């Protein structure tokens, strides 16, 4: 059986990133949050756009005030007042200055700002009490960014800070990767939709909803294909349609060794190459991963709702993010946390236990979800934001010990 690390490597190698020419679309900046940039951004404007003042004060010629001190002040003639957003109209000549405010353009002739705290104003004259440093409090054009140089590289998720930068650079339309289409189907004769009355032996198809939510929160477009009964012909047709219509398929159920578990055989019949059939992980051991000639990546996930979500978090998410065009940070984030409870494992498979990660006094603590940790118990999965990881070979972790935790938020 493959280890978790081996399975992750195989899966990431199978996730072919979107094409930077074909799988893109242009969108307005206002719709860019959370999207993945598909082309480098090169600004056409310097930033700052022009020399401007970093403080409220007076725009001076440094040569006029360089020898100034409280004992030997210099008085200048105030010939203009420049507020932010106005273009200066006068040139500052020797012995002159302009009143200036934060963000306002530096007038021609001036090269330095004297802050107003170092001045005394009398009508159209101002006394400078202290010599500034040369060019002090001037933000120079292009000091932070030069037009034509790289601003943002493709493959990053666009967030609020990027939006600010892009707006500043007047990039109002952006090339981003399209969102991947992820087909979801639930297999099982026992499944019904949540709006139907339960008959004895039936179970609500919670996976369809859980996986759609998972896909959406990771930037994909969920394409819900509903429930497929455990009949090989129906299953084969549904799976064939899913593969044709999506970049990735997630099916749940039917991948164990039960008499009604047909998925692996059907994938092979449809021309898929099976790369993974099980992983030494708990929960989620019967995981099937196949790749199709049209480049669709297929995950046959165990039907058990807890196993299904843990498999998605641990294995599908990195693949989905990489396929979506993200060039880094697509692997899960692991941190160290202090354990509140005793954690137990069988010791033969890498074990993921669900619970809550809390930040307390700048330290992380992991608190195990209460109730049974059977993979059939989906109820105590609610509000899970982290999974504690017990490595193969270790049977337990005592309270107060440090545990490796995978973040889900
Ligand atoms: P399977 O992997 O098909 O053997 O299913 C394992 C367990 O998960 C069984 O108890 C199923 O009833 C349950 N199960 C399978 N599919 C779903 C689903 N879509 N939603 C909720 N439970 C499911
Ligand atoms: Mg089943």
């Amino acid at each position: 059986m493959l280890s978790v690390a081996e399975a992750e490597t195989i899966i990431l190698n199978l996730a072919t990133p979107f094409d930077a020419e074909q799988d893109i679309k242009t969108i307005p900046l206002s719709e860019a949050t959370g999207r993945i940039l598909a082309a480098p951004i090169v600004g056409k404007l310097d930033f700052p756009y022009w020399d401007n003042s970093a403080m409220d004060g007076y725009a001076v010629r440094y040569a006029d005030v360089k020898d100034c001190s409280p004992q030997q002040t210099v008085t200048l003639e105030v010939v203009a007042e420049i507020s932010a957003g106005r273009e200066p109209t006068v040139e500052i000549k020797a012995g002159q200055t302009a009143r200036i405010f934060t963000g306002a353009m530096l007038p021609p002739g001036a090269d330095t700002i004297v802050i107003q705290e170092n001045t005394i104003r009398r009508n159209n004259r101002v006394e400078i009490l202290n010599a500034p440093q040369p060019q002090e409090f001037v933000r120079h054009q292009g000091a932070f960014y030069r037009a034509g140089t790289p601003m943002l590289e493709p493959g990053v998720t666009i967030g609020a800070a990027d939006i600010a930068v892009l707006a500043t650079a007047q990039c109002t339309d952006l090339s981003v990767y399209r969102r991947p289409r992820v087909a979801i189907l639930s297999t099982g004769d026992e499944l019904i939709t949540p709006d139907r009355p339960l008959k004895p032996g039936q179970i609500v198809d919670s996976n369809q909803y859980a996986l759609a939510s998972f896909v959406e929160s990771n930037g994909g477009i969920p394409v819900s294909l509903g429930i497929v009964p455990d009949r090989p012909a129906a299953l084969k047709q549904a799976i064939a349609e899913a593969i044709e219509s999506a970049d990735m398929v997630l099916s749940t159920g039917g991948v164990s060794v039960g008499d009604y578990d047909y998925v692996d055989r059907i994938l092979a019949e449809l021309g898929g190459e099976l790369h993974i059939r099980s992983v030494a992980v708990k929960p989620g051991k019967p995981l099937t991963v196949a790749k199709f000639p049209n480049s669709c990546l297929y995950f046959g996930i165990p039907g058990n709702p807890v196993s299904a979500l843990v498999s998605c978090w641990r294995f599908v998410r990195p693949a989905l993010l990489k396929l979506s065009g993200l060039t880094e940070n697509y692997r899960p984030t692991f941190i160290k946390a202090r354990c509140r409870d005793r954690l137990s494992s069988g010791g033969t498979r890498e074990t993921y236990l669900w619970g809550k990660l809390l930040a307390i006094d700048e330290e992380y603590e992991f608190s195990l979800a209460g109730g049974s940790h059977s993979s059939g118990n989906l109820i105590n999965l609610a509000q899970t934001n982290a999974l504690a990881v017990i490595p193969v070979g270790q049977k337990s972790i005592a309270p107060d010990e440090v545990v490796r935790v995978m973040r889900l938020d």
Side-chain angles (χ1 to χ4, degrees):
M1 219 181 331
L2 292 171
S3 71
V4 169
E6 287 165 338
E8 181 183 52
T9 303
I10 294 172
I11 289 168
L12 283 173
N13 285 336
L14 292 173
T16 317
F18 274 159
D19 186 280
E21 275 166 18
Q22 276 164 31
D23 297 310
I24 54 171
K25 63 182 290 196
T26 302
I27 58 161
L29 184 59
S30 57
E31 292 169 18
T33 303
R35 301 302 299 257
I36 300 173
L37 196 61
I41 299 287
V42 177
K44 294 192 188 77
L45 301 168
D46 286 339
F47 192 76
Y49 305 124
W50 25 71
D51 293 354
N52 70 92
S53 176
M55 299 293 258
D56 294 327
Y58 290 86
V60 302
R61 300 163 69 101
Y62 177 68
D64 285 352
V65 295
K66 68 179 177 22
D67 299 323
C68 173
S69 71
Q71 293 73 38
Q72 199 186 339
T73 63
V74 169
T75 296
L76 301 171
E77 183 196 359
V78 182
V79 294
E81 179 168 310
I82 312 159
S83 54
R86 292 282 163 80
E87 187 178 355
T89 49
V90 234
E91 184 177 340
I92 306 303
K93 304 210 173 66
Q96 295 183 336
T97 183
R99 177 77 170 117
I100 196 163
F101 299 95
T102 305
M105 263 178 102
L106 212 68
D111 54 29
T112 300
I113 302 296
V114 175
I115 57 172
Q116 65 191 31
E117 291 82 344
N118 284 344
T119 65
I120 297 170
R121 177 74 180 262
R122 291 185 200 87
N123 300 319
N124 69 337
R125 309 212 137 247
V126 65
E127 188 180 353
I128 310 293
L129 306 176
N130 269 308
Q133 298 295 315
Q135 305 188 21
E136 196 170 16
F137 297 122
V138 175
R139 298 179 189 138
H140 287 103
Q141 177 174 345
F144 303 148
Y145 176 74
R146 281 264 171 235
T149 59
M151 181 170 254
L152 270 176
E153 292 301 325
V156 297
T157 306
I158 300 168
D162 309 294
I163 297 275
V165 171
L166 293 163
T168 292
Q170 296 193 321
C171 298
T172 50
D173 292 300
L174 303 177
S175 174
V176 297
Y177 288 108
R178 68 181 176 85
R179 297 167 63 197
R181 288 169 59 82
V182 182
I184 300 166
L185 50 95
S186 302
T187 73
D189 286 336
E190 73 278 35
L191 303 175
I192 58 159
T193 55
D195 54 339
R196 305 282 292 249
L198 275 178
K199 292 200 192 112
Q202 290 186 324
I203 182 166
V204 168
D205 171 18
S206 58
N207 287 347
Q208 186 83 219
Y209 293 83
L211 268 52
S213 164
F214 160 81
V215 166
E216 197 169 351
S217 57
N218 286 293
I221 302 171
V223 182
S224 293
L225 298 183
I227 299 166
V228 188
D230 288 320
R231 262 182 283 116
L235 209 49
K236 189 168 181 177
Q237 189 186 340
I239 290 177
E241 280 171 20
I243 292 161
E244 277 314 306
S245 65
D247 301 295
M248 184 183 273
V249 180
L250 309 178
S251 71
T252 60
V255 286
S256 337
V257 289
D259 290 349
Y260 298 95
D261 295 335
Y262 303 116
V263 172
D264 286 10
R265 200 187 76 208
I266 290 171
L267 293 176
E269 283 172 16
L270 289 171
E273 194 177 337
L274 270 73
H275 292 266
I276 295 178
R277 298 192 68 170
S278 68
V279 181
V281 63
K282 187 174 187 282
K285 182 173 79 164
L287 178 73
T288 291
V289 181
K291 181 96 172 177
F292 282 83
N294 72 350
S295 119
C296 180
L297 188 56
Y298 193 105
F299 286 87
I301 298 167
N304 205 304
V306 174
S307 313
L309 269 176
V310 171
S311 304
C312 285
W313 288 324
R314 186 63 189 87
F315 297 114
V316 179
R317 185 172 185 269
L320 181 58
L321 297 181
K322 186 180 175 201
L323 184 149
S324 305
L326 208 61
T327 48
E328 50 190 37
N329 287 338
Y330 45 72
R331 283 190 179 77
T333 306
F334 294 92
I335 57 154
K336 296 240 189 296
R338 201 160 293 285
C339 235
R340 280 196 175 173
D341 314 280
R342 173 168 298 278
L343 309 181
S344 308
S345 133
T348 54
R349 290 184 267 157
E350 190 166 302
T351 299
Y352 288 72
L353 296 168
W354 48 104
K356 282 205 94 149
L357 188 67
L358 307 155
I360 293 167
D361 296 335
E362 302 186 8
E363 256 210 12
Y364 286 116
E365 284 189 14
F366 179 80
S367 130
L368 191 67
S372 164
H373 265 255
S374 138
S375 58
N377 182 9
L378 113 107
I379 303 300
N380 70 351
L381 199 61
Q383 290 297 303
T384 288
N385 69 354
L387 301 173
V389 189
I390 310 186
V392 178
Q394 192 165 352
K395 291 212 158 166
S396 71
I397 295 178
D400 261 354
E401 279 184 8
V402 169
V403 65
R404 193 160 165 258
V405 170
M406 183 177 128
R407 302 192 69 135
L408 302 177
D409 49 10

